[in-house]
Structure formats: C-alpha cells, structure tokens
Amino acid sequence: MDADAVLTPFESMDMEVLKAPSDVRNFLGESLSNDGSVLVGSFTEQSFNTAAAYYSKDSGWQALPMPSDAQIGNLKDHFNEMSAAKIVSGDGKVILGHLGSFAYPVVWKMNDAGVYEPDFFPARFVKVTDEDVSDDTKPLLGLAAFYTAMSNNGKYVGAVATVSDEYGGYRLVPVIYNTEDKTLKIYNEHQAIDEYGLGLYPRAIADDGTFIGMIGVSIINGNGCFIMKAGSEVAERFVNVFPAYSKKFGECDEVGFCVPTGISADGSKILGYAYYSDDLYEGDAPAYYTTFIIEADESGVEEIHSSPVQGQFDAVYSIDGRMLRGMTKGLNIVRNADGSVSKVLKK
C-alpha cells in the first residue's frame, strides 16, 4: 500500500493502516517488539531512507535521534545523513539500525526516562584516519552495516568487520557487540575455512550469544552454513553439528544452496531455506526451494516445502488430520513413499 505500513494482529486479523507523516512519502516497517507495541522502520522519500523512526501506539511516530558530532568522531565524513531502524528487541528497549546508506551500524537504547539514545559504537572501534593507525583501542579497519543481526533480548549485535592479517593484508571476521557493557568481541581466531579465503557472515543471534550465519566469499556467494556457539571461538558447519540436516541437505549446503535465516531466542530451533533437489548435480538449477527448521538438540530437521515434493507420495492430509484426494491450497501434510512425512505449502 503506497504511503503506508500495515500492522495486522494474527489473533483478530484486524488490519491497522499506519499512516506516514504528511512530510514524508512512505514509512517502511521493519520489525516489531514481542507484544507488537513498538514498530521500527524508516521514513522514506522515493527509494531512499531519510530518517530512522519507531512507532508506538502510545506516542505515535517519533524520529530516532542522530548521534552528536562527538559520538560520531572521526567517522563524520564517511556517511551521509540517511538512516534507518531495522530490528527491535523483544521488549522494545533496544533498536538496531544503520547510518548512511548501510555505511555503519548504530544502536539506540531506551534510557530510564523512556527516551531512545544513540550508541554509535563503530566510532570507538574503527580506524579511519592516519592518527587512528596507532590507536590500539580501534582494532577494526571497517565495520559493515549489511546483514547485521540482534538477539531478541537486545544484548548482542552481530556484524561483519575487516581486520588486519599477519601478512599486511586484511580479512573479514564476525564481531559481536555487547550493548549492555559496550564491549566488542572479535572472532579473529583462524578457522578451518580460512584456507579457502572465505568469511563468516552472522545472520541471527540467540539470547545467549550463539550466532549462525553463512560461510562464503561474500554474503551472496555462500559455501555453507555455520554456528558459533556461545563461549566458543570455533565456527562449526551445520553439516558437522546436525546429523539429520547433513543427511538431508549436506550436498546442497556444500555448494552454497543453503541459507540460515533465524534462530529462536533460546537457541533451540534454527530456521533457514535451501535450493534443494534430490538430483542436485543434474540439470542447470535445483528442482525446488524448501524451508527447514533444525532442532538444535540434534533430534532432527523438519522440512517445509514451498512447492510440490519431488517424487511420489502415499497420502495427503489436511492440517486437522483428514485424508485428502490430493494436495489443496494451503498447508498439506504429505506421507511420502519412503514413509517420511513432509509439510507442503501449495499456492
């Protein structure tokens, strides 16, 4: 809907149209707090973000404040005045976004008076000027705002940073910023994947700091999925940690056809999708896309298809257990010829 965002509670399905202020073109809603009372996103003019904002039913639209010149420090000439809010914590008290056109990440935290204050942490850790080179308190050469992530409790923010290597070059490493004690954890231990020149890109974080992401030359050229468990310095591949996942998606994970997208707050479930085919290397493209949910206790992996299951099936049931003559629009429970059960979403 042009010029508006739409908020729809699942219980009542009563659509609420959130009108953008008259002096901006659109409001792009990005994330909701757990109870739906805080919505964050950005005001836009045409296709450009102009000012970060949050929505509260109690106070209406409010623009999030830009950091002061002192908070921006030496980074002030490295981004424009655009900004956006992307993720809000479950309790609505912490917001993650970016300044500029995805130039640097920024955090807004609610103070005791209920006002959001900016925490532009990149200024404290990124070298940008000649005088920064000898500043050991700034260990990063860069910190991207693309594909950042935040835990539901608002404590951990994940991003991809650039650090110097021992050969005078640089490499990409994941970093986790603690919004409570304002420290930065840099995961710069050498990994088994380093020999291939690949990086680790965080995609989602659990409340204990466990994070998942993609392995690859870039976030769009993946070579598998990884999990970095809380307290560990070593990234583990999904195919090595989750046997059921490896059995089902091992081949397509290896060639970068799997993408991790979410992890539950308690870390018990992992969400992702795969470009999957039973005959992966036959033909020019995978046969179909499928969403997967991994049980982190290694008990199994659930597959939810977005297109018909390849091959024959024995029976189809509705979600309430009634046997059907064939698949119908919506969610179908399919018993496959091999005895396995799948969920198939037919459009």
Side-chain angles (χ1 to χ4, degrees):
M1 297 181 65
D2 190 30
D4 302 306
V6 177
L7 179 65
T8 306
F10 286 117
E11 291 182 358
S12 66
M13 297 303 292
D14 293 331
M15 183 175 68
E16 178 184 357
V17 177
L18 309 177
K19 301 290 292 184
S22 58
D23 58 340
V24 298
R25 177 176 177 180
N26 292 312
F27 177 80
L28 301 181
E30 295 275 5
S31 180
L32 280 170
S33 60
N34 287 351
D35 64 2
S37 64
V38 179
L39 181 152
V40 303
S42 57
F43 295 143
T44 68
E45 293 179 349
Q46 297 182 347
S47 61
F48 298 99
N49 294 328
T50 58
Y54 73 91
Y55 173 80
S56 169
K57 291 184 178 179
D58 297 327
S59 56
W61 301 105
Q62 296 288 333
L64 289 163
M66 292 286 285
S68 65
D69 288 345
Q71 292 171 315
I72 293 173
N74 291 338
L75 297 182
K76 61 183 179 180
D77 296 326
H78 293 265
F79 57 88
N80 55 34
E81 294 184 356
M82 298 178 184
S83 62
K86 307 297 288 187
I87 306 173
V88 63
S89 61
D91 61 7
K93 294 183 177 181
V94 185
I95 297 171
L96 171 64
H98 59 78
L99 299 185
S101 299
F102 289 96
Y104 292 101
V106 62
V107 169
W108 289 274
K109 290 193 70 174
M110 184 181 289
N111 60 24
D112 293 339
V115 176
Y116 288 104
E117 296 179 340
D119 176 9
F120 188 52
F121 62 93
R124 304 195 297 275
F125 300 107
V126 179
K127 301 178 188 291
V128 291
T129 65
D130 292 339
E131 64 189 62
D132 289 337
V133 173
S134 59
D135 188 348
D136 294 335
T137 66
K138 294 183 176 182
L140 306 181
L141 301 178
L143 183 61
F146 285 102
Y147 304 104
T148 51
M150 185 171 71
S151 57
N152 186 66
N153 60 6
K155 182 176 181 179
Y156 299 106
V157 167
V160 180
T162 307
V163 297
S164 300
D165 64 18
E166 58 267 43
Y167 307 107
Y170 64 88
R171 60 194 181 102
L172 298 176
V173 297
V175 297
I176 300 294
Y177 179 65
N178 188 315
T179 65
E180 294 182 357
D181 61 22
K182 298 187 177 183
T183 58
L184 187 74
K185 170 64 178 175
I186 304 173
Y187 289 84
N188 57 358
E189 294 289 331
H190 283 286
Q191 306 289 328
I193 64 167
D194 284 352
E195 62 182 290
Y196 305 108
L198 304 178
L200 301 175
Y201 298 83
R203 294 297 301 271
I205 313 174
D207 281 352
D208 68 351
T210 294
F211 63 96
I212 61 171
M214 287 185 64
I215 304 166
V217 177
S218 70
I219 196 68
I220 60 174
N221 293 304
N223 291 84
C225 308
F226 78 88
I227 181 170
M228 188 83 75
K229 296 178 181 177
S232 175
E233 300 285 335
V234 178
E236 301 175 88
R237 299 184 71 115
F238 280 14
V239 292
N240 295 329
V241 178
F242 308 114
Y245 172 89
S246 181
K247 182 179 180 180
K248 185 67 177 176
F249 299 109
E251 284 188 307
C252 58
D253 185 291
E254 291 288 344
V255 295
F257 287 163
C258 296
V259 180
T261 56
I263 187 169
S264 59
D266 63 1
S268 65
K269 295 182 185 296
I270 294 171
L271 179 70
Y273 61 89
Y275 305 145
Y276 177 76
S277 172
D278 289 325
D279 299 308
L280 185 64
Y281 297 104
E282 295 184 13
D284 297 328
Y288 62 93
Y289 303 157
T290 183
T291 292
F292 59 80
I293 299 175
I294 299 174
E295 300 291 340
D297 62 3
E298 304 176 24
S299 61
V301 57
E302 180 180 10
E303 185 179 356
I304 304 175
H305 296 282
S306 57
S307 61
V309 179
Q310 306 298 299
Q312 299 298 315
F313 52 83
D314 283 345
V316 181
Y317 300 88
S318 65
I319 59 174
D320 58 2
R322 293 181 295 106
M323 182 177 287
L324 305 174
R325 292 183 179 181
M327 283 190 286
T328 61
K329 279 189 176 183
L331 191 62
N332 299 265
I333 309 300
V334 176
R335 188 177 70 215
N336 301 305
D338 62 2
S340 62
V341 176
S342 302
K343 294 179 181 178
V344 179
L345 183 63
K346 185 176 181 180
K347 297 181 179 179

